[in-house]
Amino acid sequence: MKVGVVLSGGGIRGIAHLGVLTALKNAGLKINHISGTSAGAIVGALYANGVDPYDVFEIIKQKNLLRFLRPAIGLPALFNFEHLSELLEKYLPKTFEELSIPLTIAATNFNEGKLTYFFEGELIRKVLASSCIPGLFSPVLIDGINYVDGGVLNNFPVEPLINKCDYIIGSSCNHLPYLHNFKNIKSVMQRAAVLSLNFTVAEKLKHLNLFIEPIGLGATSIFDTKKADKIYTAAFE
């Protein structure tokens, strides 16, 4: 039986995928194909290269990923996300073909406004492309095309696993709790953004055999690294 895992985007909330993958690994489950976008692409690539998910969790905490978000001087963004490659190069091979587990990642072709799936060739730049939140991070140029976060068009890329896997597990980290009121305009905008990401997930559940979504994680800011332990624990348990 071929098992596939799809990992959603969600910024720092993507740490939840590490908790899920740790639990699956402890259960002795062998994964045959991974599909992910944004944070899910980063986690998926590392896992596909044989890096233990708990080790990734420790790396994230120790390295403080926010220090890799350097100002994008002279570019149409607040930060230059490509400096994350300095970290990824230590743990990832150069190509998809060198990974232990087949990986597919979603990115958005920003020039044409189309969804793109990457599954072969150069790896790290495509992982970075899948993770570039437009407006915050500079687009990644690949073969003359500007790419940004795959979550813009597909934040739960289960499609590459359909008809390829017998059993599909979905890990999402954007569940929103019910709220009676909102603190400020920032909280309203954050919630609206997550609602947009979650909109198409419901219709994709029919393709899953198991859906894992820790309650309430969508209320956590995508940059709130202080909650890393709580996010991991919520998913693992």
Side-chain angles (χ1 to χ4, degrees), residues 14-188:
I15 286 176
H17 300 320
L18 298 172
V20 170
L21 290 172
T22 299
L24 296 178
K25 182 178 180 179
N26 291 347
L29 188 68
K30 180 183 178 181
I31 297 174
N32 303 101
H33 199 139
I34 300 172
S35 178
T37 190
S38 198
I42 296 174
V43 171
L46 291 166
Y47 190 83
N49 195 43
V51 184
D52 185 87
Y54 186 77
D55 289 342
V56 176
F57 175 56
E58 288 298 314
I59 290 168
I60 290 174
K61 291 200 299 180
Q62 293 172 11
K63 298 294 184 179
N64 185 9
L65 287 187
L66 290 182
R67 75 184 182 89
F68 289 93
L69 309 183
R70 302 175 184 172
I73 300 174
L75 297 173
L78 296 179
F79 301 100
N80 189 342
F81 201 38
E82 291 192 57
H83 288 288
L84 180 60
S85 62
E86 298 172 11
L87 178 63
L88 295 181
E89 286 171 2
K90 296 181 180 180
Y91 300 98
L92 293 178
K94 294 183 178 180
T95 67
F96 280 82
E97 288 77 7
E98 297 173 78
L99 295 171
S100 301
I101 302 173
L103 171 72
T104 301
I105 57 179
T108 298
N109 177 329
F110 212 43
N111 293 80
E112 300 181 57
K114 296 181 179 180
L115 182 66
T116 298
Y117 290 114
F118 292 124
F119 54 87
E120 60 184 358
E122 183 182 11
L123 175 63
I124 293 177
R125 287 187 64 80
K126 291 171 183 175
V127 171
L128 293 172
S130 177
S131 310
C132 285
I133 302 173
L136 289 180
F137 309 118
S138 305
V140 174
L141 190 66
I142 300 175
D143 296 329
I145 300 294
N146 288 288
Y147 290 93
V148 298
D149 198 311
V152 171
L153 296 179
N154 188 352
N155 200 52
F156 197 72
V158 67
E159 292 80 4
L161 304 180
I162 300 172
N163 299 324
K164 290 184 179 180
C165 298
D166 305 301
Y167 192 91
I168 301 177
I169 301 170
S171 177
S172 177
C173 56
N174 300 302
H175 177 271
L176 283 171
Y178 181 87
L179 291 182
H180 294 279
N181 51 63
F182 303 93
K183 297 179 180 179
N184 48 49
I185 188 64
K186 180 181 179 181
S187 66
V188 172

Side-chain angles (χ1 to χ4, degrees), residues 174-224:
N174 300 302
H175 177 271
L176 283 171
Y178 181 87
L179 291 182
H180 294 279
N181 51 63
F182 303 93
K183 297 179 180 179
N184 48 49
I185 188 64
K186 180 181 179 181
S187 66
V188 172
M189 294 177 66
Q190 288 179 342
R191 188 174 178 86
V194 177
L195 284 171
S196 178
L197 293 178
N198 288 342
F199 182 71
T200 61
V201 173
E203 65 184 52
K204 298 184 181 187
L205 297 182
K206 62 184 179 183
H207 299 298
L208 303 179
N209 298 96
L210 176 64
F211 181 56
I212 303 172
E213 186 179 51
I215 295 174
L217 284 190
T220 300
S221 167
I222 60 174
F223 299 119
D224 194 350

